[in-house]
Amino acid sequence: MDRMKDDYKDILAFQFDKKNQIAFTTVQSCVYTDHRKPESLDGVWGFTPDVFRSVTRKNLFSASGKDEQGREVPMDLDFSSMEKIQVPGCWNCLDDRYWLYEGEAVYSRTFVYSKEKEGERIILRVGAANYECRIWLNGTLLSRHQGGFTPFYTELTQDLKEINHIVITVNNRREPDQVPSMNYDWFNYGGITRSVELFRLPAVYIKDFTASLVPDGTYGRIELKIKLDAPVQGACCHFKIEELGISREVLTDERGEARCVVQANPQLWDCEHPKLYEVQARCLEDQVKDRVGFREIRCDGKDILLNGRKIYLKGVCCHEESRNRGRIQTDEERLEILNTAKDMGCNILRLTHYPHSERMAVLADQAGMMLWEEIPVYWALDFENPETYSNAENQMRELMFRDKNRASVVIWSVGNENPDIQSRLDFMKGLLETCRNYDPTRLTSAACLVDVNTMCVKDRLAEFVDVVAFNEYYGWYYRDYEGVKVILDNTSIDKPMVITETGAGAKAGHHGGAEELFTEEHQERVYENQIRYTDGRIQGMFPWVLFDFISPIRKHPMQGGKNSKGLVAMDKATRKKAFYVMQEYYRNK
């Protein structure tokens, strides 16, 4: 009987996964890898959906397929004959069978490791995997991470062999305590959606590296910082910006950190002249570099100032979605997005509603496009759950760690359209405090709420953000056009105010009267009236949205599972009439 219980323990156990619930990998494990040489593990991996989580339940990560006498035994999974999938990729796009699949999937491959230097350390970086991800190497569970859009890091050094079997499980099932939670207006693409890479680092390496303009209004002081992965005191760190004639040596403190502020006269980064400088740091046996633009973004009363000059945020919202590969975009596609926005006259993109690929920020640095970046604290979350808050804060910090050296990123957003309840206010205040403590060089915001009873922006969160943002759809969900004028008449806030969403649905090529829903003419009229009633009264506008995108909650026949509010169709080429309304406005603004 006892033997029978052992044989069936995986079937009988409801808490079969408890042993695998190790602590989550967090921002504390992040490693600076920009411009380091990666060894890519992208390409063809084995893949299978695991609806009943049988691989975890039966502990198949280390199963050999042989008994104690070395005889072959039947297995429920043969890693060598799994279906093939491309990494990075979305399993929804692999086969129609998986289009709406939500749950756990198993990825598998082998790779060869050959030591190059004594004492070297091997770090694995997963650019993003949606949503909960675990990594097994040679049968040992090494890492567990939550959050579908930010990178995480795992050290492999102690568990490496010459031939290595890596298994990664990814689970995109929606749960109430997650960030985002159960309900949201985009497609829940599953899979390893960004690159998987190995990095060889010395025994003591540079874990973090920051270069930024000191935000004091002088535009002549640059702060340079590194942090070693160990508290080595007295190590000589050499900072260098050759083009500016900067060369400075600093000793690390007892925490293994080195910092200096140097006088300089850099050409400031802006949208017309996106100047970048190569910044280098060297300490012990490690060296890093980055291409960094120096600029200052701040508020002065109701004005937003870039390098001391008042700017209007000529923006647009954008989701991360390829024409046919889900969330997997090439640099050519990202440049297409930037060029389309620039052609419309934009100077800023709101990357909604989650962190997009870091490549977008790199390309925006080069193109001179400002970015609004945010985490998916979207609609209703479990705001009273401390674990949900820790998850959101970690996603925020991982995003800031990743993009802190990108001049294009000027606003961190901590959420979108959340109910004004006390638990949400405390939740968001905590995130805003995290942003300011970690990064005082950028502005903070969130999409606040409009009180439709008093017709004004009335959200306690507005007191704590730098830029007050709100979403409104007058002319669409509310059919009158003057509502936005009434809101602005009734709102008195001595801070910059921007509209982060506005617009109307339109099926590309569908025409009719200007008051007929889903026609290009109606969308065109909505934008004409938005401009009419807001011009000169706000500090920025972000039409919703640049391109149509897939959203299963959109069931109307004219939408067909897509959010059709794009100014451009999903083909990313067909521009609707409203595009040209915004183009004329922005180009003349």
Side-chain angles (χ1 to χ4, degrees):
M1 186 68 178
D2 289 340
R3 175 63 184 272
M4 183 179 293
K5 287 182 180 178
D6 288 341
D7 288 346
Y8 289 92
K9 62 182 181 296
D10 61 295
I11 298 174
L12 298 171
F14 291 102
Q15 296 296 323
F16 67 91
D17 194 32
K18 196 168 184 180
K19 63 182 178 297
N20 296 318
Q21 292 175 2
I22 61 175
F24 288 116
T25 298
T26 67
V27 68
Q28 302 301 329
S29 299
C30 285
V31 178
Y32 180 87
T33 53
D34 289 1
H35 295 277
R36 292 187 186 271
K37 181 182 178 182
E39 297 178 25
S40 177
L41 292 183
D42 289 351
V44 178
W45 287 56
F47 168 82
T48 183
D50 193 8
V51 179
F52 291 101
R53 305 190 66 206
S54 299
V55 173
T56 302
R57 183 183 291 275
K58 296 185 177 183
N59 197 32
L60 297 180
F61 308 103
S62 56
S64 65
K66 301 192 178 212
D67 64 14
E68 295 174 354
Q69 284 74 42
R71 297 169 298 188
E72 290 191 6
V73 293
M75 298 289 294
D76 290 332
L77 178 65
D78 181 358
F79 284 110
S80 66
S81 61
M82 295 171 74
E83 188 172 4
K84 303 305 180 185
I85 194 171
Q86 190 73 20
V87 172
C90 303
W91 67 58
N92 315 84
C93 304
L94 177 65
D95 190 288
D96 288 345
R97 293 173 295 160
Y98 308 138
W99 177 244
L100 293 176
Y101 178 65
E102 292 184 329
E104 186 145 298
V106 180
Y107 290 75
S108 168
R109 68 163 289 171
T110 59
F111 67 93
V112 176
Y113 167 67
S114 178
K115 183 186 293 185
E116 293 184 354
K117 294 181 180 179
E118 283 301 319
E120 72 180 8
R121 296 168 66 180
I122 308 300
I123 304 296
L124 177 76
R125 182 186 193 267
V126 178
N130 188 33
Y131 170 81
E132 181 169 331
C133 182
R134 297 183 195 179
I135 298 174
W136 276 263
L137 182 66
N138 301 322
T140 300
L141 176 61
L142 297 183
S143 182
R144 179 181 178 221
H145 180 263
Q146 267 191 327
F149 309 99
T150 46
F152 62 99
Y153 302 76
T154 305
E155 182 160 3
L156 308 184
T157 310
Q158 300 303 317
D159 296 274
L160 282 168
K161 302 176 182 179
E162 182 179 354
I163 305 296
N164 298 276
H165 181 213
I166 186 169
V167 175
I168 299 180
T169 60
V170 184
N171 195 324
N172 74 330
R173 184 178 59 214
R174 291 166 295 116
E175 300 287 358
D177 61 348
Q178 292 179 351
V179 183
S181 188
M182 299 287 287
N183 187 28
Y184 39 87
D185 188 12
W186 65 86
F187 194 82
N188 185 27
Y189 290 107
I192 303 174
T193 57
R194 296 181 193 145
S195 288
V196 180
E197 300 166 314
L198 296 173
F199 292 89
R200 296 177 189 259
L201 303 178
V204 177
Y205 59 83
I206 296 173
K207 183 178 177 64
D208 198 3
F209 172 47
T210 307
S212 62
L213 194 70
V214 177
D216 60 4
T218 66
Y219 317 114
R221 302 170 70 220
I222 294 173
E223 183 180 51
L224 303 167
K225 296 188 294 185
I226 68 149
K227 179 179 181 179
L228 300 177
D229 82 298
V232 178
Q233 186 172 9
C236 183
C237 176
H238 184 198
F239 294 107
K240 185 177 181 181
I241 309 178
E242 187 172 357
E243 192 173 349
L244 291 175
I246 293 172
S247 180
R248 180 70 63 85
E249 292 187 349
V250 185
L251 299 181
T252 56
D253 61 18
E254 68 278 3
R255 297 168 298 183
E257 298 179 12
R259 171 187 177 273
C260 68
V261 175
V262 296
Q263 297 293 133
N265 185 30
Q267 178 182 331
L268 299 181
W269 184 98
D270 62 26
C271 298
E272 290 74 33
H273 305 96
K275 174 65 178 175
L276 302 175
Y277 293 91
E278 183 172 288
V279 185
Q280 303 176 31
R282 187 175 71 249
C283 191
L284 300 176
E285 297 181 11
D286 200 13
Q287 56 184 351
V288 293
K289 65 180 180 179
D290 205 345
R291 289 186 58 76
V292 181
F294 299 107
R295 56 98 189 98
E296 182 181 279
I297 187 82
R298 65 183 179 89
C299 297
D300 182 13
K302 293 186 177 183
D303 295 331
I304 299 172
L305 306 180
L306 177 63
N307 302 329
R309 295 167 51 197
K310 180 179 175 180
I311 59 169
Y312 181 85
L313 300 183
K314 298 184 285 187
V316 69
C317 300
C318 184
H319 268 289
E320 184 180 46
E321 189 171 74
S322 176
R323 288 181 180 86
N324 52 24
R325 297 199 306 150
R327 194 158 283 126
I328 314 306
Q329 294 179 330
T330 63
D331 274 359
E332 288 74 22
E333 289 176 293
R334 297 181 185 105
L335 286 170
E336 181 181 37
I337 293 168
L338 291 167
N339 290 333
T340 302
K342 274 186 167 290
D343 192 45
M344 196 171 84
C346 295
N347 59 16
I348 185 168
L349 273 174
R350 181 187 180 208
L351 302 183
T352 51
H353 282 294
Y354 42 78
H356 294 206
S357 167
E358 64 265 31
R359 289 296 304 166
M360 180 60 89
V362 171
L363 294 172
D365 267 12
Q366 299 169 9
M369 178 69 72
M370 294 183 291
L371 298 179
W372 166 307
E373 293 193 340
E374 62 190 47
I375 57 172
V377 178
Y378 183 89
W379 289 354
L381 265 66
D382 187 359
F383 291 112
E384 296 183 1
N385 187 338
E387 293 182 0
T388 301
Y389 176 79
S390 295
N391 183 352
E393 184 184 75
N394 186 64
Q395 290 189 44
M396 189 78 248
R397 291 189 63 191
E398 286 179 341
L399 174 60
M400 291 191 291
F401 183 97
R402 192 193 75 180
D403 288 350
K404 61 183 175 296
N405 287 342
R406 304 282 71 82
S408 54
V409 181
V410 296
I411 294 176
W412 301 125
S413 173
V414 299
N416 180 76
E417 291 182 353
N418 315 114
D420 189 6
I421 55 178
Q422 187 60 44
S423 57
R424 172 266 200 169
L425 180 63
D426 295 339
F427 192 104
M428 306 294 253
K429 283 169 59 179
L431 294 176
L432 290 167
E433 183 177 358
T434 294
C435 291
R436 293 195 176 100
N437 288 340
Y438 186 84
D439 181 13
T441 71
R442 291 176 173 86
L443 304 177
T444 61
S445 191
C448 297
L449 297 181
V450 171
D451 186 333
V452 295
N453 296 312
T454 59
M455 290 297 287
C456 69
V457 178
K458 188 177 181 182
D459 189 326
R460 288 177 292 172
L461 188 62
E463 178 184 346
F464 302 97
V465 296
D466 296 318
V467 178
V468 178
F470 67 100
N471 303 341
E472 51 82 19
Y473 287 92
Y474 283 91
W476 181 244
Y477 295 121
Y478 301 95
R479 293 305 305 278
D480 66 282
Y481 294 107
E482 295 188 16
V484 63
K485 175 182 180 299
V486 176
I487 290 169
L488 294 174
D489 286 343
N490 294 340
T491 302
S492 178
I493 296 177
D494 190 27
K495 291 183 178 183
M497 289 184 62
V498 301
I499 295 175
T500 33
E501 291 181 28
T502 189
K507 184 176 178 64
H510 182 60
H511 298 281
E515 290 304 318
E516 182 181 346
L517 296 180
F518 293 105
T519 64
E520 288 195 33
E521 285 74 17
H522 177 249
Q523 187 188 49
E524 178 184 40
R525 176 169 288 187
V526 167
Y527 277 102
E528 288 171 344
N529 280 288
Q530 284 286 325
I531 292 169
R532 174 185 176 190
Y533 291 120
T534 64
D535 188 39
R537 309 190 65 193
I538 54 176
Q539 285 70 51
M541 179 184 288
F542 295 80
W544 185 264
V545 55
L546 185 55
F547 303 110
D548 290 348
F549 61 93
I550 296 173
S551 178
I553 70 173
R554 304 292 173 171
K555 300 298 186 182
H556 192 281
M558 296 298 287
Q559 297 169 308
K562 296 185 284 291
N563 189 312
S564 61
K565 295 187 181 73
L567 298 169
V568 183
M570 281 191 67
D571 64 6
K572 294 184 167 50
T574 305
R575 297 178 176 183
K576 304 176 191 178
K577 293 169 74 71
F579 179 94
Y580 299 102
V581 173
M582 292 307 303
Q583 183 184 66
E584 181 181 8
Y585 177 58
Y586 279 169
R587 286 184 174 183
N588 295 321
K589 181 68 177 173

